[in-house]
Amino acid sequence: MNYIKQLTYFFNKATADTGLTPTHSSLFMALFQLWNQARFTKSIQIVRDEAMRLSKINSKATYHKAMAYLHKNGYIDYQPSYNPFKGSAISFFPDRIVTTDTRNEPVQNLSTRTINEPYNKQYSNHIINNNMITQSRDKKNERDEKKSSQVVTVLSKSKKEKDSGQKEKGVPPQRLQVEEFFISQKSTLIEANRFINHYTANGWLVGGKSPMKDWKASAKNWISNSINFNHHANNTKSNRSQQLSTTTNKNYFEPL
């Protein structure tokens, strides 16, 4: 016997039964398991204690009440036995003609679908919500990637502008250019070499921090500072005592 058809019939019948409770369903499934163990014979004999254990029903009154409901509503045919050595007889779906013809089988509204089957309304909302979450996450990732690319573009652009600005101003300059510029500004080759050595050592940074943009302007400042420094050094008197100028060939007979 195809027990799937029997279960399908039960769930369809239970769906339309507003009076069916979880206790009734639990008892029926316990009886169905006993029927399964008996290889789906026409009727089975059950023991109350075993049926109560499988259905998780602890009260005898609840058990008999649920059994009477299933019998009254055509789920089972219950024939109680008042002999403690003989079990009660149970047969399933007494008002239903068991047949193998699938055309007479009730249709079960499945909550799942087979492969390549279109989505039904029952679970399409969950899939739509999942798709919306996935789409929103993809959009967020796309926005983050776009923002990151924009930041990288701005940084690379600013770096290119900085590099191009330095190239336009000729930083670092050629030694010959610096020497010619210092000569044109009425300075010396010594100051030109000092200027080149100083800024080559610190990577052509102004103040040790900012990249040099115009070496000619820095050279003019260097020349101006060197002139002021040399002029100040020449005008400053030394505080060191000078040696007395004497000669060894002195004539002590000459009058003072």
Side-chain angles (χ1 to χ4, degrees):
M1 180 179 291
N2 190 349
Y3 69 92
I4 298 296
K5 296 179 181 180
Q6 307 301 324
L7 286 177
T8 300
Y9 180 84
F10 166 73
F11 284 113
N12 282 330
K13 185 177 178 63
T15 302
D17 189 356
T18 58
L20 192 73
T21 64
T23 303
H24 301 145
S25 298
S26 177
L27 179 57
F28 179 86
M29 295 308 297
L31 297 175
F32 192 89
Q33 174 62 15
L34 295 175
W35 190 28
N36 181 25
Q37 293 176 356
R39 302 296 181 182
F40 298 105
T41 58
K42 185 175 180 181
S43 64
I44 61 174
Q45 289 183 342
I46 65 169
V47 179
R48 181 181 62 190
D49 294 339
E50 185 177 5
M52 291 179 62
R53 180 179 59 83
L54 289 176
S55 61
K56 304 297 182 181
I57 298 176
N58 298 323
S59 173
K60 293 180 181 179
T62 303
Y63 168 80
H64 287 293
K65 186 177 180 180
M67 187 71 74
Y69 182 88
L70 294 176
H71 173 76
K72 180 181 178 181
N73 289 274
Y75 292 96
I76 61 174
D77 183 20
Y78 174 58
Q79 299 297 329
S81 173
Y82 301 100
N83 186 353
F85 300 101
K86 184 179 180 181
S88 300
I90 298 289
S91 60
F92 291 81
F93 310 116
D95 58 342
R96 176 176 177 235
I97 300 176
V98 179
T99 178
T100 57
D101 189 0
T102 58
R103 293 177 297 177
N104 296 327
E105 291 292 333
V107 178
Q108 172 70 11
N109 294 324
L110 299 177
S111 60
T112 57
R113 67 182 185 91
T114 58
I115 299 176
N116 298 328
E117 182 181 348
Y119 297 111
N120 58 26
K121 186 177 181 181
Q122 188 170 359
Y123 53 81
S124 60
N125 291 334
H126 299 287
I127 296 177
I128 291 173
N129 292 333
N130 293 334
N131 290 336
M132 292 177 65
I133 293 173
T134 304
Q135 291 176 0
S136 62
R137 188 184 298 114
D138 294 339
K139 289 182 180 179
K140 184 177 182 300
N141 294 335
E142 185 177 355
R143 288 196 300 268
D144 294 339
E145 291 178 357
K146 186 176 181 181
K147 190 179 296 184
S148 301
S149 62
Q150 290 177 353
V151 171
V152 172
T153 303
V154 171
L155 293 177
S156 61
K157 184 178 180 181
S158 61
K159 187 176 184 300
K160 289 181 180 179
E161 290 178 353
K162 185 183 295 184
D163 296 339
S164 63
Q166 291 182 354
K167 290 181 180 180
E168 289 177 358
K169 298 298 182 178
V171 178
Q174 298 293 330
R175 178 177 292 272
L176 182 60
Q177 292 178 335
V178 177
E179 291 176 352
E180 291 178 353
F181 182 78
F182 269 72
I183 296 299
S184 66
Q185 296 295 321
K186 299 180 180 179
S187 183
T188 62
L189 295 178
I190 296 176
E191 291 299 330
N193 291 327
R194 288 177 180 175
F195 175 81
I196 294 174
N197 294 335
H198 173 77
Y199 283 107
T200 301
N202 69 354
W204 292 91
L205 299 177
V206 178
K209 297 180 179 180
S210 303
M212 182 181 295
K213 296 181 179 180
D214 190 350
W215 69 269
K216 291 184 178 180
S218 298
K220 290 181 181 180
N221 293 333
W222 181 280
I223 294 171
S224 178
N225 292 332
S226 65
I227 292 174
N228 294 333
F229 177 78
N230 293 331
H231 179 72
H232 179 73
N234 293 331
N235 293 334
T236 302
K237 294 182 179 180
S238 176
N239 294 326
R240 295 178 60 186
S241 60
Q242 297 181 357
Q243 296 180 354
L244 180 64
S245 179
T246 60
T247 60
T248 56
N249 298 323
K250 184 176 181 180
N251 189 1
Y252 292 96
F253 295 98
E254 293 181 357
L256 296 175

